[in-house]
């Protein structure tokens, strides 16, 4: 049984990954701070779902709920640690008390626009927090890790599709800059201390359990409530939307690759090699939800890239990555999930 430490394991991507690793018979050590970016109860729901817990939690207040949650979900093959990766002592305490085989580092402050408002917080969590993880790995002889990067590091480059060989020195948001910093620091620890590293550049992940602050979730909520949709630009901006199932398959492939190879430092795109415009996204949501959108158009916002488009040749070559989820099918599944889970 392999022990995987998953930071941000109560979040959207992290909870799906924890669930899959448990189903595969592994042990999961989940670290999450349950910060206030969105309602902490959503993350509690993610943890309960990902662990298959049959017990319920009567929500009272955040401190009490988070004190009770580990006693509900912890078992031999799963342990929840409520901790902030900015707290170096807490991170070291976890590594000192556990025998960890692989770290999957997903914890981060996400989002382009909020990073412009509070860049220092993004540096503190995404850069310093990542260094705390790397230092703990170095000190406790953990030599394998996957780290979440982002397609935002490509900025507004015109060359398409985006390849891992492209020069990425012109980020247009603090969030993107922190992710590039983590890629560089990952290589430093690979070179100096032999920590095998895969940096996964995720391309606009969507699907069941998606965070409520992300576009697809927000648009769906507005459609169902009959609210006006505020769209920025002229609707022609494009994204390479990647369903959570395909992301998890890619992460499992990357795990197998890094666990069976030595001296690994790789940057790898996980996308679909297919783009969808903003207006096509709204039209797909309309079809799948049976709702009509009332759109209010606004100028482009600072930090938003014009398009993302993943070249996934490398992921396919290294571990057979082959995304399967059709966009409309994925949106239909999200709509079904959203309408069934709104109580959270």
């Amino acid at each position: 049984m392999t022990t995987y430490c998953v930071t941000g394991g109560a979040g959207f991507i992290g909870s799906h990954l924890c669930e899959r690793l448990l189903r595969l018979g592994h042990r999961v050590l989940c670290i999450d701070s349950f910060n206030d970016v969105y309602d902490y109860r959503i993350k509690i729901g993610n943890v309960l779902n990902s662990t298959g817990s049959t017990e319920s939690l009567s929500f009272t207040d955040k401190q009490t709920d988070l004190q009770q949650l580990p006693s509900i979900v912890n078992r031999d093959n799963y342990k929840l640690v409520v901790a902030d990766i900015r707290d170096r002592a807490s991170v070291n305490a976890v590594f000192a008390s556990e025998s960890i085989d692989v770290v999957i580092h997903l914890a981060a402050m996400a989002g382009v626009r909020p990073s412009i408002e509070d860049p220092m917080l993004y540096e503190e969590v995404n850069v310093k927090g990542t260094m705390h993880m790397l230092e703990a790995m170095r000190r406790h002889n953990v030599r394998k890790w996957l780290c979440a990067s982002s397609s935002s590091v490509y900025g507004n480059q015109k060359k398409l599709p985006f390849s891992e060989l492209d020069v990425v020195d012109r980020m247009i948001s603090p969030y993107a800059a922190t992710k590039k910093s983590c890629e560089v620091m990952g290589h430093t620890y690979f070179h100096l201390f032999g920590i095998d590293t895969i940096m996964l550049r995720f391309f606009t992940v969507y699907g069941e359990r998606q965070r409520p602050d992300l576009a697809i979730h927000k648009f769906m909520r507005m459609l169902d409530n009959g609210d006006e949709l505020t769209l920025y630009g002229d609707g022609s901006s494009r994204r390479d939307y990647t369903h959570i199932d395909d992301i998890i398959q890619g992460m499992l492939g990357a795990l197998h690759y890094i666990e069976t190879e030595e001296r690994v430092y790789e940057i790898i795109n996980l996308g679909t090699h297919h783009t969808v415009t903003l207006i096509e996204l709204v039209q797909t949501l309309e079809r799948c939800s049976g709702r009509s959108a009332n759109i209010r158009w606004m100028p482009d916002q600072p930090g938003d890239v014009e398009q993302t488009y993943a070249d996934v040749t490398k992921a396919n070559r290294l571990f057979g990555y082959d995304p399967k989820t059709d966009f409309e099918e994925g949106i239909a599944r999200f709509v079904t999930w959203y309408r069934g889970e709104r109580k959270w």
Side-chain angles (χ1 to χ4, degrees), residues 5 40 56 91 95 137 245 254 303:
C5 175
Y40 76 95
S56 59
V91 171
F95 278 77
M137 292 176 64
D245 285 358

Side-chain angles (χ1 to χ4, degrees), residues 12 203-224 229 231 239-244 276-278 280-282 284-286 288-289 327-328 330-338:
F12 167 37
F203 280 71
T204 316
V205 188
Y206 75 101
E208 300 86 329
R209 300 182 199 158
Q210 188 188 48
R211 299 196 331 256
D213 58 310
L214 295 180
I216 290 175
H217 200 138
K218 287 196 296 186
F219 291 169
M220 186 61 226
R221 182 169 63 250
M222 292 173 182
L223 283 171
D224 255 11
L229 266 66
L231 303 184
R239 296 289 181 270
D240 190 328
Y241 292 101
T242 316
H243 191 268
I244 185 63
V276 176
T277 66
L278 177 59
E280 288 171 341
L281 164 61
V282 173
T284 305
L285 279 168
E286 287 179 314
C288 293
S289 67
F327 182 66
E328 185 141 354
I331 292 295
R333 288 168 55 184
F334 171 79
V335 170
T336 299
W337 168 83
Y338 171 82

Side-chain angles (χ1 to χ4, degrees), residues 8-239:
F12 167 37
I13 298 174
S15 65
H16 278 280
L17 180 63
C18 290
E19 181 176 1
R20 187 67 66 86
L21 291 172
L22 290 171
R23 288 182 178 179
L24 291 171
H26 300 297
R27 181 171 182 266
V28 172
L29 174 63
C30 171
I31 302 176
D32 205 293
S33 68
F34 293 80
N35 64 29
D36 293 324
V37 172
Y38 55 92
D39 192 330
Y40 76 95
R41 294 173 296 179
I42 294 174
K43 283 193 170 185
I44 288 179
N46 290 344
V47 170
L48 294 173
N49 284 323
S50 65
T51 58
S53 176
T54 57
E55 295 187 53
S56 59
L57 182 66
S58 298
F59 294 117
T60 52
D61 63 80
K62 183 175 180 179
Q63 182 177 357
T64 302
D65 295 341
L66 293 181
Q67 287 174 345
Q68 293 178 349
L69 184 59
S71 65
I72 293 174
V73 298
N74 284 1
R75 59 201 69 173
D76 288 344
N77 66 340
Y78 182 88
K79 181 177 180 180
L80 173 65
V81 178
V82 181
D84 193 322
I85 60 171
R86 291 176 293 177
D87 184 344
R88 187 175 182 181
S90 294
V91 171
N92 285 330
V94 171
F95 278 77
S97 62
E98 297 286 341
S99 179
I100 297 168
D101 298 302
V102 182
V103 171
I104 304 161
H105 182 44
L106 304 176
M109 290 297 299
V112 166
R113 294 170 191 168
S115 76
I116 298 173
E117 298 298 321
D118 196 352
M120 299 307 294
L121 175 62
Y122 276 67
E123 183 276 334
E124 186 178 358
V125 176
N126 296 2
V127 180
K128 188 177 293 184
T130 298
M131 291 192 67
H132 288 166
M133 295 300 300
L134 284 166
E135 274 295 285
M137 292 176 64
R138 178 177 74 87
R139 292 177 180 275
H140 295 278
N141 200 35
V142 181
R143 291 295 184 264
K144 303 279 185 180
W145 81 314
L146 266 60
C147 182
S149 187
S150 169
S151 61
S152 64
V153 301
Y154 289 106
N156 261 333
Q157 72 170 27
K158 303 301 181 184
K159 173 186 167 296
L160 297 173
F162 297 166
S163 165
E164 297 90 345
L165 296 177
D166 297 339
V167 176
V168 286
D169 289 335
R170 296 188 177 183
M171 277 64 67
I172 61 173
S173 71
Y175 169 67
T178 63
K179 287 299 183 180
K180 173 63 184 295
S181 298
C182 292
E183 292 182 358
V184 174
M185 192 58 65
H187 186 271
T188 302
Y189 275 71
F190 162 73
H191 174 75
L192 292 176
F193 309 116
I195 296 178
D196 290 332
T197 298
I198 293 182
M199 310 296 303
L200 295 172
R201 290 177 177 170
F202 295 143
F203 280 71
T204 316
V205 188
Y206 75 101
E208 300 86 329
R209 300 182 199 158
Q210 188 188 48
R211 299 196 331 256
D213 58 310
L214 295 180
I216 290 175
H217 200 138
K218 287 196 296 186
F219 291 169
M220 186 61 226
R221 182 169 63 250
M222 292 173 182
L223 283 171
D224 255 11
N225 292 341
D227 297 334
E228 185 177 68
L229 266 66
T230 300
L231 303 184
Y232 297 92
D234 60 4
S236 65
S237 61
R238 310 182 72 91
R239 296 289 181 270

